[in-house]
């Protein structure tokens, strides 16, 4: 599978299938991390994006010219190496220690230098030098070559694969909604405006209105993984101006129904990752780097998650915070510091349910069953999924009663006429429905232990950054 017109095998294949390849001729390509020796024989450490391997360059096989050229070659230059696969000499192990698994190398009969890397490297690949995040992001293409950074994106891809797998098995259809839109789904203050031919339009803040229309239109269950744009002025470790939102919407359902889907999807992702050898290697690379940075760093673990996740009502959350000495009144938002106090009781994933209606968007359903007891307090069917101090997801049952929806819009200072295309979806028989939106990068922060959302986003967009 890994063969191309340039190579017959990848480093990954050599690691896995090496035993059956001993004695056969292969061609591999890669970046040269370093060459040790170089007198009679040089040991080239090659990396190709699937893994590492060693190529042995003997002066007697390759000649003086090639060996000298290789000795002078800059790190990260690219090579094409052809030669026979051989069992690598096993490193010495101390008595009582288990022998490491066998490794294989390529004894070169031909080496071609494909490209020469410039010096100096703005970001060291194998050096242990600390580089600031901003410099790393300026040179993300190099940063990505580092094992633990590469590992983050392997995990990101696997998280999406297992998320998709879970939802597809639960009969959700994958959809794509427009990213050029005319009406704000998540409030009018954080929209990126653009000119769409001769009229104003915006970049989509979330697929909210369209995923609902898909369900109102008769698609029973839908999901989308796509970009969302928010012109927010936040400059924090967890906010970006472009992020990938993982959304679902389901018909004939309430908030609890879609919370069950969410917790089971996350538990499925964790459990599938814990059985996936690529994920295991990625986690090892991340842990190796974490412990190098800080020997007391807690290793990232892939454990089976227990479901259901705890459900904490907003009322209880306020009580927990107040009891822990936090100053908060009913009706106020829960800040990160306050969320810490709740997380002290619920250290893993936990839901906060039953938020005041005024804190939730217009499309969220009023939980009329609770309002009777609460007097003037208007409770919504909206929930958030939290981990520690960070919100992973928000969602809820949607308001499907068109008159209530129109009232909500007006109450929130919005003009129903601007939402005509959306409101029309409710005129001709609207099912109860519910859904959520999950910040992919925030979930990856939990999984990888990253302390900044930018670590797990390939080319982040924030207030200061639109390149690379
Ligand atoms: P909300 O606005 O809470 O809800 O967004 C859903 C999730 O998206 C992530 N998120 C962000 N991630 C990085 N940078 C940002 N600026 C950012 N803003 C949000 C968070 C958040 O929990 N339409 C609703 C969802 C729904 O009800 O279905 C919505 O967009 O992880």
């Amino acid at each position: 599978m890994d063969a191309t017109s340039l190579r017959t095998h990848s480093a990954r294949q050599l690691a896995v299938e090496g035993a059956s390849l001993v004695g056969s001729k292969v061609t591999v390509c890669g970046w040269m991390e370093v060459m040790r020796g170089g007198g009679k024989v040089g040991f080239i450490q090659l990396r190709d994006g699937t893994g590492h391997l060693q190529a042995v360059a003997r002066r007697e096989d390759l000649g003086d010219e090639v060996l000298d050229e290789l000795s002078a070659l800059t790190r990260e230059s690219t090579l094409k190496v052809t030669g026979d696969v051989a069992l690598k000499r096993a490193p010495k192990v101390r008595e009582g220690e288990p022998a490491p698994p066998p490794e294989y190398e390529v004894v070169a009969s031909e080496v071609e230098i494909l490209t020469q890397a410039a010096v100096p490297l703005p970001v060291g690949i194998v050096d242990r030098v600390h580089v600031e995040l901003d410099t790393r992001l300026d040179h993300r293409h190099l940063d990505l070559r580092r094992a633990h950074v590469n590992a983050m994106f392997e995990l990101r891809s696997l998280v999406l694969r297992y998320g998709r797998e879970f939802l597809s098995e639960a009969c959700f259809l994958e959809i794509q909604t427009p990213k050029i839109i005319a009406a704000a789904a998540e409030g009018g203050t954080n929209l990126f405006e653009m000119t769409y031919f001769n009229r104003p339009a915006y970049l989509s803040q979330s697929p909210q209105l369209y995923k609902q229309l898909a369900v109102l239109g008769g698609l029973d269950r839908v999901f989308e993984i796509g970009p969302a744009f928010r012109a927010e002025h936040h400059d924090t470790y967890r906010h970006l101006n472009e992020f990938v939102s993982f959304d679902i919407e389901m018909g004939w359902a309430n908030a609890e129904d879609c919370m069950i889907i969410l917790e089971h999807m996350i538990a499925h992702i964790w459990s599938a990752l814990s059985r996936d050898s690529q994920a295991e290697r990625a986690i090892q690379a991340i842990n190796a780097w974490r412990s190098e940075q800080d020997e007391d760093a807690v290793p990232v673990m892939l454990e089976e998650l227990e479901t259901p996740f705890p459900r904490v009502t907003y009322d209880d959350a306020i009580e927990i915070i107040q009891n822990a000495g936090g100053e908060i009144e009913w009706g106020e938002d829960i800040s990160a510091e306050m969320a810490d106090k709740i997380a002290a009781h619920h250290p893993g994933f936990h839901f906060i349910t039953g938020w005041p209606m005024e804190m939730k968007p217009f499309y969220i359903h009023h939980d009329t069953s609770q309002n009777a007891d609460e007097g003037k307090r208007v409770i919504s069917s909206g929930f958030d999924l939290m981990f520690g101090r960070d919100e992973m997801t928000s969602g809820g049952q949607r308001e499907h009663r068109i008159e209530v929806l129109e009232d909500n819009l007006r109450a929130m200072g919005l003009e129903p006429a601007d939402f005509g295309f959306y409101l029309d979806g409710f005129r001709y028989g609207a099912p109860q429905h519910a859904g959520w939106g999950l910040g992919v990068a925030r979930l990856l922060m939990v999984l990888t232990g990253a302390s900044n959302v930018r670590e797990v986003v390939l080319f982040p967009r924030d207030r200061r950054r639109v390149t690379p």
Side-chain angles (χ1 to χ4, degrees):
M1 284 290 267
D2 291 350
T4 67
S5 50
L6 278 186
R7 69 180 184 198
T8 61
H9 291 79
S10 64
R12 166 178 42 215
Q13 273 178 305
L14 233 68
V16 178
E17 302 162 23
S20 63
L21 290 169
V22 171
S24 3
K25 191 173 265 250
V26 298
T27 299
V28 293
C29 294
W31 288 277
M32 185 188 82
E33 288 193 339
V34 68
M35 179 166 96
R36 291 196 195 87
K40 280 190 181 158
V41 55
F43 298 96
I44 303 170
Q45 303 309 316
L46 272 191
R47 189 191 69 247
D48 70 356
T50 70
H52 290 80
L53 67 92
Q54 175 164 283
V56 183
R58 292 203 185 110
R59 197 170 279 273
E60 63 178 17
D61 295 339
L62 299 171
D64 291 338
E65 202 182 320
V66 173
L67 240 282
D68 293 345
E69 244 186 298
L70 286 173
S71 299
L73 197 60
T74 48
R75 284 179 172 209
E76 296 300 307
S77 295
T78 55
L79 297 179
K80 180 172 162 185
V81 179
T82 301
D84 288 344
V85 177
L87 183 65
K88 200 170 151 185
R89 194 166 349 135
K92 281 197 185 110
V93 284
R94 280 195 225 121
E95 237 183 79
E97 275 186 9
E103 286 186 51
Y104 303 90
E105 60 191 10
V106 177
V107 182
S109 50
E110 214 180 304
V111 176
E112 189 185 336
I113 297 170
L114 301 173
T115 54
Q116 292 209 21
V119 277
L121 292 169
V123 174
I125 309 301
V126 280
D127 313 319
R128 301 290 173 234
V129 186
H130 176 77
V131 189
E132 291 302 328
L133 181 58
D134 254 342
T135 311
R136 290 174 43 209
L137 293 177
D138 286 343
H139 304 281
R140 190 57 143 173
H141 54 97
L142 283 179
D143 186 45
L144 270 176
R145 294 186 191 175
R146 306 199 303 159
H148 72 280
V149 181
N150 204 291
M152 302 262 185
F153 293 94
E154 287 190 73
L155 286 173
R156 189 174 164 120
S157 169
L158 291 171
V159 162
L160 297 184
R161 180 192 302 174
Y162 293 127
R164 276 198 170 92
E165 177 180 276
F166 176 84
L167 290 178
S168 302
E169 273 166 27
C171 299
F172 282 78
L173 301 179
E174 183 159 7
I175 58 166
Q176 288 81 36
T177 61
K179 302 305 158 207
I180 300 175
I181 49 135
E186 313 294 343
T189 54
N190 57 13
L191 282 166
F192 282 115
E193 193 169 341
M194 58 177 286
T195 304
Y196 189 66
F197 301 104
N198 289 325
R199 57 198 152 116
Y202 309 99
L203 290 179
S204 165
Q205 298 160 306
S206 88
Q208 185 62 40
L209 308 185
Y210 291 95
K211 63 178 181 170
Q212 284 190 256
L213 285 175
V215 169
L216 291 166
L219 300 181
D220 190 55
R221 294 174 166 200
V222 296
F223 78 97
E224 174 167 14
I225 303 172
F229 306 90
R230 308 244 174 126
E232 287 166 344
H233 288 267
H234 298 296
D235 190 6
T236 76
Y237 69 93
R238 59 179 177 177
H239 286 97
L240 291 175
N241 295 103
E242 177 180 341
F243 64 94
V244 172
S245 185
F246 193 146
D247 280 77
I248 75 154
E249 200 65 29
M250 55 198 289
W252 321 107
N254 65 13
E256 180 61 24
D257 294 317
C258 72
M259 283 156 69
I260 292 173
I261 295 285
L262 179 57
E263 63 198 354
H264 282 100
M265 182 182 91
I266 294 177
H268 172 78
I269 294 172
W270 255 239
S271 148
L273 288 175
S274 68
R275 283 179 273 111
D276 185 303
S277 56
Q278 191 183 2
E280 190 188 331
R281 282 193 301 275
I283 295 276
Q284 275 167 5
I286 291 169
N287 282 336
W289 175 79
R290 280 167 70 85
S291 64
E292 239 169 58
Q293 301 300 302
D294 169 9
E295 56 187 35
D296 298 328
V298 183
V300 175
M301 304 276 278
L302 269 175
E303 290 166 334
E304 297 278 334
L305 295 177
E306 242 179 67
T307 53
F309 298 161
R311 277 118 170 102
V312 184
T313 63
Y314 174 83
D315 290 3
D316 288 346
I318 296 298
E319 207 176 304
I320 292 173
I321 296 167
Q322 288 171 342
N323 289 343
E327 281 182 25
I328 191 168
E329 293 302 325
W330 198 95
E332 285 175 11
D333 201 0
I334 298 175
S335 65
E337 289 71 29
M338 305 286 177
D340 283 342
K341 299 187 192 300
I342 303 169
H345 290 252
H346 300 288
F349 289 103
H350 57 278
F351 287 105
I352 301 184
T353 61
W355 288 79
M357 186 62 209
E358 65 199 46
M359 295 169 66
K360 285 287 164 190
F362 67 86
Y363 51 76
I364 291 285
H365 184 266
H366 290 192
D367 183 351
T368 34
S369 65
Q370 292 200 38
N371 292 342
D373 302 334
E374 292 293 335
K376 274 169 59 194
R377 290 179 173 182
V378 183
I379 309 289
S380 76
S381 301
F383 63 83
D384 287 352
L385 176 71
M386 306 292 295
F387 188 99
R389 54 166 42 193
D390 297 323
E391 179 195 307
M392 302 285 118
T393 311
S394 58
Q397 186 180 332
R398 316 308 186 182
E399 188 51 77
H400 64 286
R401 299 161 293 186
I402 188 164
E403 331 71 63
V404 186
L405 205 44
E406 284 171 339
D407 285 348
N408 286 354
L409 280 165
R410 281 189 214 97
M412 293 181 190
L414 297 163
E415 189 43 62
D418 293 340
F419 291 82
F421 75 93
Y422 170 70
L423 293 172
D424 270 356
F426 295 82
R427 267 183 232 290
Y428 310 102
Q432 275 92 331
H433 58 292
W436 43 252
L438 164 73
V440 171
R442 299 226 181 139
L443 190 64
L444 260 294
M445 279 176 80
V446 174
L447 184 66
T448 62
S451 55
N452 192 312
V453 78
R454 289 160 183 78
E455 294 278 0
V456 292
V457 174
L458 203 48
F459 295 106
R461 292 288 175 259
D462 61 29
R463 277 174 65 196
R464 289 169 294 118
R465 185 177 287 282
V466 272
T467 57

